[in-house]
Amino acid sequence: QVQLVESGGGLVQAGGSLRLSCAVSGRTSSRYVMGWFRQAPGKEREFVAHITWSGSSTYYADSGKGRFTISRDTAKNTVYLQMNSLKPDDTAVYYCAAKSYGSETYDYWGQGTQVTVSS
């Protein structure tokens, strides 16, 4: 079992920045992939970015390329999502998730953290 707890959300003006954190506990493994997703009101949940626990590989959705950076600190068992140049369209609940490397689905999810970007 893996437990995920997000933090760092809040209200920010357009153009501002936020750093989300995801504290990971339980059975962590170098063969996990850690992802960030988001869900805006009335919309489906969408992928934002992922990183392998080893840190060797990252991948971003087009919506965040050039603005978002995913990273992890294995010593702190924490995954981060640095978000810069935020836009009102980035307003959503952001979720951290984990899956085994090679799996198609994410098996573990956090409770989410609200990000609101005002215009």
Side-chain angles (χ1 to χ4, degrees):
Q1 288 287 341
V2 175
Q3 292 79 44
L4 308 172
V5 179
E6 303 96 333
S7 62
L11 174 63
V12 64
Q13 288 188 332
S17 299
L18 281 175
R19 188 178 77 160
L20 305 183
S21 299
C22 173
V24 184
S25 61
R27 185 180 177 184
T28 57
S29 167
S30 61
R31 293 189 61 78
Y32 274 115
V33 177
M34 305 301 300
W36 283 98
F37 291 76
R38 68 186 185 184
Q39 187 166 21
K43 295 186 178 181
E44 294 188 354
R45 185 169 57 197
E46 65 175 5
F47 170 81
V48 175
H50 78 215
I51 185 169
T52 54
W53 191 250
S54 66
S56 62
S57 175
T58 59
Y59 183 77
Y60 297 89
D62 288 344
S63 59
K65 283 181 180 177
R67 300 188 300 127
F68 295 177
T69 302
I70 189 170
S71 63
R72 91 280 177 265
D73 184 332
T74 55
K76 295 182 178 180
N77 275 0
T78 301
V79 179
Y80 302 99
L81 184 68
Q82 177 68 43
M83 304 187 294
N84 299 326
S85 301
L86 284 163
K87 308 173 184 178
D89 284 349
D90 295 318
T91 295
V93 177
Y94 284 71
Y95 297 92
C96 178
K99 67 173 182 174
S100 297
Y101 187 79
S103 173
E104 292 186 0
T105 60
Y106 283 81
D107 300 311
Y108 304 101
W109 294 85
Q111 82 289 350
T113 186
Q114 176 71 46
V115 171
T116 303
V117 184
S118 63
S119 58

Coordinates of all heavy atoms in Angstrom, one line a residue, residues 15-19 64 66-69 81-87 90:
G15 N -0.3 34.5 -13.6 CA 1.1 34.8 -13.8 C 1.9 34.4 -12.6 O 3.2 34.4 -12.6
G16 N 1.3 34.0 -11.5 CA 2.0 33.6 -10.3 C 2.4 32.2 -10.3 O 2.3 31.5 -11.3
S17 N 3.0 31.8 -9.2 CA 3.5 30.4 -9.1 C 3.0 29.7 -7.8 O 2.7 30.4 -6.8 CB 5.1 30.5 -9.1 OG 5.6 31.0 -10.2
L18 N 3.0 28.4 -7.9 CA 2.7 27.6 -6.7 C 3.6 26.3 -6.8 O 3.9 25.9 -8.0 CB 1.3 27.2 -6.7 CG 0.2 28.1 -6.1 CD1 -1.2 27.5 -6.3 CD2 0.5 28.5 -4.7
R19 N 4.0 25.8 -5.7 CA 4.6 24.5 -5.7 C 3.8 23.5 -4.9 O 3.6 23.7 -3.7 CB 6.0 24.5 -5.1 CG 6.8 23.2 -5.3 CD 8.2 23.2 -4.8 NE 8.2 23.1 -3.3 CZ 9.3 22.8 -2.6 NH1 10.4 22.5 -3.3 NH2 9.3 22.7 -1.3
G64 N 1.0 21.9 -19.7 CA 2.0 22.3 -18.7 C 3.4 22.5 -19.2 O 4.3 22.9 -18.5
G66 N 6.8 23.7 -20.4 CA 7.4 25.0 -20.3 C 7.0 25.8 -19.1 O 7.6 26.8 -18.8
R67 N 6.0 25.4 -18.4 CA 5.5 26.1 -17.3 C 5.6 25.3 -16.0 O 5.8 25.8 -14.9 CB 4.0 26.6 -17.5 CG 3.8 27.5 -18.6 CD 2.4 28.0 -18.7 NE 1.4 27.0 -18.7 CZ 0.4 26.9 -17.9 NH1 0.3 27.7 -16.9 NH2 -0.5 25.9 -18.0
F68 N 5.4 24.0 -16.1 CA 5.3 23.1 -14.9 C 6.6 22.2 -14.9 O 7.1 21.8 -16.0 CB 4.1 22.2 -15.0 CG 2.8 22.9 -14.9 CD1 1.6 22.1 -15.0 CD2 2.7 24.2 -14.6 CE1 0.4 22.7 -14.9 CE2 1.5 24.8 -14.5 CZ 0.3 24.1 -14.7
T69 N 7.1 21.9 -13.7 CA 8.2 21.1 -13.6 C 7.9 20.1 -12.4 O 7.6 20.5 -11.3 CB 9.5 21.8 -13.2 OG1 9.8 22.8 -14.2 CG2 10.7 20.9 -13.1
L81 N 5.4 19.5 -7.8 CA 5.0 20.0 -9.0 C 5.1 21.5 -8.9 O 4.3 22.2 -8.2 CB 3.5 19.6 -9.4 CG 3.1 20.1 -10.8 CD1 3.9 19.4 -11.9 CD2 1.6 19.9 -11.0
Q82 N 6.1 22.1 -9.5 CA 6.3 23.5 -9.6 C 5.6 24.1 -10.7 O 5.8 23.6 -11.9 CB 7.8 23.8 -9.7 CG 8.1 25.3 -9.9 CD 7.9 26.1 -8.6 OE1 8.2 25.6 -7.5 NE2 7.2 27.2 -8.7
M83 N 4.7 25.0 -10.5 CA 3.8 25.6 -11.5 C 4.1 27.1 -11.6 O 3.9 27.8 -10.6 CB 2.4 25.3 -11.2 CG 2.0 23.8 -11.0 SD 0.3 23.5 -10.8 CE -0.1 24.4 -9.2
N84 N 4.5 27.5 -12.7 CA 4.8 28.9 -13.0 C 3.9 29.4 -14.1 O 3.3 28.7 -14.8 CB 6.3 29.1 -13.5 CG 7.3 28.6 -12.4 OD1 7.0 28.7 -11.2 ND2 8.4 28.0 -12.9
S85 N 3.9 30.8 -14.2 CA 3.0 31.4 -15.2 C 1.6 30.9 -15.2 O 1.1 30.5 -16.2 CB 3.7 31.3 -16.6 OG 5.0 31.8 -16.6
L86 N 1.0 30.8 -14.0 CA -0.3 30.2 -13.9 C -1.4 31.0 -14.6 O -1.3 32.2 -14.7 CB -0.6 30.0 -12.4 CG 0.1 28.8 -11.8 CD1 0.0 28.9 -10.3 CD2 -0.5 27.5 -12.3
K87 N -2.3 30.3 -15.2 CA -3.4 30.9 -15.9 C -4.7 30.5 -15.2 O -4.8 29.4 -14.5 CB -3.5 30.3 -17.3 CG -2.2 30.4 -18.1 CD -2.3 29.7 -19.4 CE -0.9 29.7 -20.2 NZ -1.0 29.0 -21.4
D90 N -5.8 26.9 -15.3 CA -5.1 25.9 -14.5 C -5.9 25.7 -13.2 O -5.5 24.8 -12.4 CB -3.7 26.4 -14.1 CG -2.8 26.5 -15.3 OD1 -2.9 25.6 -16.2 OD2 -2.1 27.5 -15.4

